[in-house]
Amino acid sequence: MYPAHFHERVLPELRGTPGFLGAELLIADHGGEIEFKVMTRWESMDAIRSFAGDNLTKAVVEPGAIAALIDFDDQVTHYTLLESFWTMACN
């Protein structure tokens, strides 16, 4: 399943990537169809470019992730964090 792939392959690769700040794996159950969303945080667009290449809208999806998923988005959207507020510690 994808969460195991995320922990065993994706996070170790990202942790060694300059400019990587963190990641979150979200899950939603749509009536039996499970959707995963990965949100990553980076120091800058240059750090993302170093990881993903010049085409910043093309998703970086390795073969192991493709094998673990039924479908996946091949495009990404980048957002600039304007504000963040937490009322409790996050894991």
Side-chain angles (χ1 to χ4, degrees):
M1 188 172 201
Y2 186 75
H5 173 79
F6 181 77
H7 288 280
E8 295 166 10
R9 299 291 304 253
V10 175
L11 287 179
E13 179 180 345
L14 290 174
R15 283 186 184 121
T17 303
F20 173 72
L21 299 176
E24 297 172 302
L25 176 62
L26 292 83
I27 185 171
D29 185 337
H30 300 286
E33 184 174 296
I34 302 299
E35 174 187 11
F36 296 104
K37 184 173 291 279
V38 176
M39 295 176 55
T40 58
R41 292 185 186 222
W42 298 85
E43 284 180 357
S44 65
M45 291 302 289
D46 285 336
I48 296 170
R49 191 173 287 104
S50 293
F51 169 74
D54 288 331
N55 186 350
L56 293 178
T57 61
K58 185 176 188 315
V60 175
V61 185
E62 68 170 5
I66 294 170
L69 301 168
I70 294 170
D71 191 18
F72 63 91
D73 293 332
D74 60 358
Q75 299 291 307
V76 298
T77 302
H78 299 281
Y79 296 88
T80 299
L81 180 64
L82 295 179
E83 185 173 339
S84 181
F85 175 80
W86 297 92
T87 59
M88 61 183 193
C90 297
N91 295 329

